[in-house]
Amino acid sequence: MSGEKAAFSLRPRGAQMEALVELWAASWAQAMPDVDFSARRGWLRTRIVELEEAGATTLCACDAQGAIAGFVTVDPASGYLDQVAVAPRAKGSGAAQALLDGARALAGRKLALEVNRDNARARRFYEREGFVVVGEGVNPASGLKTLRMREK
């Protein structure tokens, strides 16, 4: 989108698993083209179910037509964001902001996450939103270096 911020409604995932999986794979393929995220679709399905069974909530940001523009999986008890993905067509539209605001409201506490160190766009977004680096790690699935970030 061209600098214009759209309005998004937030709703629980419901039966939208396959739409989220496709959105996630497309988003990550754009962000990290050297990694085959299409091959990890099964992992994501399992991961979301496991997170939700442990108490996490998956929120979807939907545009005016009801199409999913992105999603976030947040554990309200800890404030940890496990999954955040925005559809390539919705980058820069305000969907990520809506998702982060929804996660903040749901958790009622400062949020934390891990971001791929080489995902410069995501890092800039989180830094603008008041997150600071508090540690480093490695993604066990990809071997890529990560940064642990927490809201100030």
Side-chain angles (χ1 to χ4, degrees):
M1 295 184 95
S2 61
E4 172 188 333
K5 300 296 181 190
F8 294 93
S9 60
L10 296 178
R11 65 179 186 222
R13 173 178 67 83
Q16 301 295 320
M17 181 67 83
E18 290 313 306
L20 297 190
V21 169
E22 293 308 313
L23 183 152
W24 178 86
S27 178
W28 277 106
Q30 184 182 55
M32 309 285 291
D34 294 337
V35 178
D36 182 7
F37 286 95
S38 291
R40 296 184 182 177
R41 288 180 169 118
W43 172 86
L44 181 67
R45 285 183 200 95
T46 301
R47 180 72 178 161
I48 289 175
V49 169
E50 288 173 349
L51 290 167
E52 291 174 350
E53 287 176 350
T57 298
T58 302
L59 293 175
C60 298
C62 299
D63 64 22
Q65 292 74 41
I68 298 173
F71 72 94
V72 61
T73 302
V74 60
D75 178 355
S78 67
Y80 187 76
L81 302 180
D82 190 86
Q83 298 295 314
V84 181
V86 174
R89 66 172 170 74
K91 299 232 171 146
S93 69
Q97 183 69 59
L99 291 165
L100 192 57
D101 291 346
R104 284 174 171 143
L106 190 64
R109 64 177 56 241
K110 293 187 181 210
L111 301 174
L113 56 88
E114 284 202 41
V115 62
N116 283 303
R117 188 179 71 187
D118 294 335
N119 190 343
R121 182 183 182 117
R123 287 178 56 191
R124 284 191 307 271
F125 171 74
Y126 295 125
E127 288 166 357
R128 279 193 314 269
E129 287 299 314
F131 284 76
V132 294
V133 175
V134 295
E136 297 182 1
V138 175
N139 181 308
S142 67
L144 297 173
K145 293 183 179 182
T146 62
L147 298 174
R148 285 187 220 53
M149 300 183 83
R150 179 171 300 282
E151 287 185 290
K152 292 186 225 177

